[in-house]
Amino acid sequence: RVIETKSIAEGYSCLSMMDLYVSTVDELIDSMTASLDNVVTGLITTATRDTNMDGVEITKGNFIGLANKTIYSCCESRVDCAYNLIKGIPEIGMKEVLTIFQGKNVTEDELMELQDKVSADYPLMEIGIIPGGQDVYDYIMAIE
């Protein structure tokens, strides 16, 4: 069976919900897909041109933060961009888990700074970091 997901973040979320103690494949699929509607995929990448989208002024070379095809932030700092994206997610206060896939250009210091900022505002949010090594997206985030 194939579980249709739209991002690495959704795929990871499905895998993390896998219950190997169920008795049928249908129950396994149900356990993996039950929370898919709650997953928001956040992406941080570099702007390739100057423009204005979704009411955000974008400058080439800055970092942009997007989720569900909406741009939430544009900043010179990768950490600030990711933090502003997270804060802009609708119903962020209801989210419980943040999984960050670390891109190849992200330093450990940046990860710790982002984790500290998020933890200060959302102390009950569980934060996990996975070294993804991806090129294009500095951060891929599963926010659920």
Side-chain angles (χ1 to χ4, degrees), residues 42-107:
L43 304 168
I44 304 298
T45 191
T46 305
T48 58
R49 68 180 194 273
D50 292 344
T51 190
N52 186 308
M53 294 182 77
D54 301 318
V56 177
E57 192 65 36
I58 298 170
T59 304
K60 180 179 179 178
N62 281 0
F63 297 100
I64 55 173
L66 57 144
N68 300 333
K69 300 180 183 179
T70 300
I71 296 178
Y72 285 89
S73 61
C74 180
C75 305
E76 291 181 18
S77 159
R78 187 177 6 240
V79 171
D80 289 344
C81 188
Y83 177 67
N84 290 338
L85 167 65
I86 292 166
K87 285 188 350 181
I89 297 296
E91 299 180 2
I92 187 63
M94 303 299 292
K95 303 295 184 187
E96 298 174 347
V97 178
L98 169 63
T99 305
I100 302 170
F101 296 86
Q102 173 189 5
K104 75 175 189 176
N105 296 319
V106 176
T107 68

